[in-house]
Amino acid sequence: MMDHLANTEINSQRIAAVENCFGASGQPLALPGRVLLGEGILTKECRKKPKPRIFFLFNDILVYGSIVINKRKYNSQHIIPLEDVTLETLPDTLQMKNRWMIKTSKKSFVVSAASLTERKEWISHLEECIKHLLTKTGRQPCTEHAAPWIPDKATDICMRCTQTKFSTLTRRHHCRKCGFVVCADCSRQRFLMPRLSPKPLRVCNLCYRQLLADKKKEAEADRRQTEPIRSATQGYEPSSGDDSDKSDDEKAEQWPADTEFYTSEVSWSSFHS
């Protein structure tokens, strides 16, 4: 079905309409073979509070952004390759229902749908696209995922030292490794995690020690792998490149967090049902 719709005029028009809604701030979305399958408004867990976001599902990417004027203008466009996505269904809370997590190697976040049926439709469509894409590319499902950020309102104290109380003057920070809400004293370190960013990122003290230990283990493993090679070549002199007449004989404690979400009245809509 997706291959059949890829080059249709109606598919091109709908993709162009999405590009137009994002305007100059968005990236071009039209590519040969790309199909727009549907859209919907989901509630996304953000750092400060849950917010509605528009989501567009293509056969190879998931696009979402902030709603300025529904059906007319969006901004803050984000593009997620589906082959990097893993889904995890989450239990309901008193404040939030129909939740699931979208996990990727660079960013993971929680969303909720307006109804259980809508959640099932979203997850079914996403899983079908992911399976089809992985089969087509021959890639294996992603196994390393970024930690989702725990919302600011989940705690009034640092989740590491449990002593520092947050206030207007005492800011909250997030560890990029575990996603915990921490104070400045508990997150003064930076660590390079190329999977997330080309620059060193803020991490809590516990994750920093764990990352250093992992790095040390990796270096030790590399050293052990190269040791047999060094032993085998010990005693050999570098060749000058000339022939010689000489003989050949001459070697992140889990922290429970209550989330608050608000559902949306706009449900999933499929363009090609």
Side-chain angles (χ1 to χ4, degrees):
M1 176 180 175
M2 288 185 285
D3 294 336
H4 173 70
L5 296 168
N7 299 314
T8 62
E9 182 64 23
I10 190 169
N11 181 63
S12 300
Q13 290 175 354
R14 286 167 175 164
I15 294 179
V18 175
E19 289 181 331
N20 185 60
C21 287
F22 278 104
S25 63
Q27 297 183 43
L29 299 174
L31 284 179
R34 178 168 289 168
V35 180
L36 177 58
L37 299 175
E39 69 173 79
I41 293 179
L42 300 173
T43 301
K44 177 180 177 292
E45 179 185 276
C46 299
R47 176 175 180 175
K48 298 296 183 182
K49 63 179 182 180
K51 298 177 181 178
R53 294 286 184 261
I54 184 68
F55 282 79
F56 297 95
L57 177 60
F58 296 80
N59 59 330
D60 62 336
I61 58 174
L62 180 66
V63 179
Y64 72 93
S66 301
I67 303 170
V68 181
I69 304 174
N70 193 27
K71 300 292 183 181
R72 293 180 58 188
K73 186 175 182 180
Y74 308 122
N75 60 18
S76 302
Q77 184 193 71
H78 297 267
I79 300 177
I80 302 174
L82 287 182
E83 58 189 9
D84 192 35
V85 171
T86 302
L87 306 176
E88 179 184 350
T89 302
L90 301 176
D92 291 347
T93 65
L94 292 176
Q95 301 83 10
M96 184 73 172
K97 299 184 183 301
N98 311 312
R99 307 165 61 226
W100 77 95
M101 187 183 298
I102 298 174
K103 300 189 291 185
T104 78
S105 60
K106 293 185 178 297
K107 184 175 184 177
S108 300
F109 54 91
V110 175
V111 293
S112 69
S115 67
L116 180 61
T117 299
E118 184 183 344
R119 181 180 73 171
K120 288 180 178 179
E121 289 178 345
W122 267 106
I123 292 178
S124 175
H125 283 82
L126 281 163
E127 288 180 339
E128 181 182 354
C129 290
I130 294 169
K131 181 180 178 180
H132 182 270
L133 191 61
L134 291 177
T135 301
K136 185 177 181 180
T137 61
R139 286 188 53 179
Q140 294 298 313
C142 182
T143 57
E144 293 188 33
H145 307 107
W149 284 19
I150 294 175
D152 287 359
K153 290 185 178 180
T155 179
D156 291 328
I157 62 173
C158 173
M159 298 173 70
R160 283 304 182 200
C161 69
T162 68
Q163 301 296 320
T164 303
K165 186 174 178 62
F166 297 120
S167 65
T168 304
L169 298 179
T170 306
R171 292 185 54 203
R172 290 171 168 85
H173 300 279
H174 278 84
C175 171
R176 270 57 170 183
K177 175 63 177 175
C178 66
F180 277 21
V181 184
V182 291
C183 65
D185 287 340
C186 288
S187 59
R188 294 192 180 280
Q189 304 294 343
R190 300 288 189 278
F191 199 89
L192 180 61
M193 294 179 283
R195 180 169 51 87
L196 300 181
S197 172
K199 298 180 180 180
L201 300 174
R202 179 188 292 269
V203 293
C204 68
N205 296 341
L206 178 61
C207 285
Y208 182 72
R209 291 193 294 269
Q210 291 175 339
L211 288 166
L212 281 181
D214 291 343
K215 185 176 181 180
K216 185 177 180 180
K217 288 180 181 179
E218 291 177 2
E220 180 65 18
D222 290 341
R223 186 190 67 78
R224 289 177 179 176
Q225 287 181 350
T226 58
E227 185 65 29
I229 299 176
R230 288 199 298 268
S231 299
T233 58
Q234 194 173 18
Y236 283 92
E237 295 294 334
S239 172
S240 65
D242 297 327
D243 290 336
S244 173
D245 292 334
K246 293 183 179 180
S247 169
D248 288 341
D249 294 334
E250 305 176 347
K251 185 199 158 230
E253 166 180 347
Q254 289 288 339
W255 184 277
D258 292 328
T259 57
E260 297 181 2
F261 279 109
Y262 304 92
T263 58
S264 164
E265 295 181 356
V266 181
S267 62
W268 161 275
S269 62
S270 174
F271 287 136
H272 308 295
S273 58

